[in-house]
Each structure stands twice: as structure tokens, then as C-alpha cells.
Amino acid sequence: MPSNEKELNANLFDQLTIIERIERHLEKGGVAAAKEEIEILKKEINRKLYQQPPLKSE
């Protein structure tokens, strides 16, 4: 969970960017292009989630 408003806003902008990318692919290439973009985004997110060493040590 974000610890402050600035961090929350950054997360919301990231989410908005993802939605905009998918919408662009839907408009230009249809459902198949959007699904392909979603798979790319999933891989990018997973790389961030499972990076070694982690960004924050707990």
C-alpha cells in the first residue's frame, strides 16, 4: 500500500498508462493486438515483482 499521496498518484498514473496502451491496441489492431499487449504488460510487471535483489528489504 502506498505510504503517501505522491506514491499513490504514481501508482494511479501507471495504471492509467496501462489502460491507455491496451485501448490503443484495441483501436489499431483489435482484440488480438490488445491480448498480445496484455501479455507483454504481464511480463513487465512480473519482472518488477520478482526482481533480484528486491527493491525494498523488509
Side-chain angles (χ1 to χ4, degrees):
M1 186 82 195
S3 61
N4 58 44
E5 186 177 353
K6 185 175 181 180
E7 194 175 334
L8 175 61
N9 284 342
N11 288 341
L12 292 173
F13 278 118
D14 287 344
Q15 292 175 5
L16 184 58
T17 299
I18 289 170
I19 292 169
E20 290 169 344
R21 286 174 66 176
I22 293 169
E23 287 176 337
R24 273 195 310 273
H25 281 79
L26 276 170
E27 290 171 5
K28 291 182 179 181
V31 175
K35 285 183 179 181
E36 186 177 325
E37 182 66 14
I38 290 169
E39 288 304 314
I40 292 168
L41 290 166
K42 278 186 198 176
K43 289 177 185 175
E44 290 174 1
I45 292 167
N46 279 324
R47 274 196 304 271
K48 292 176 186 176
L49 283 173
Y50 301 113
Q51 66 180 341
Q52 296 295 327
L55 285 176
K56 186 176 178 182
S57 58
E58 297 177 293

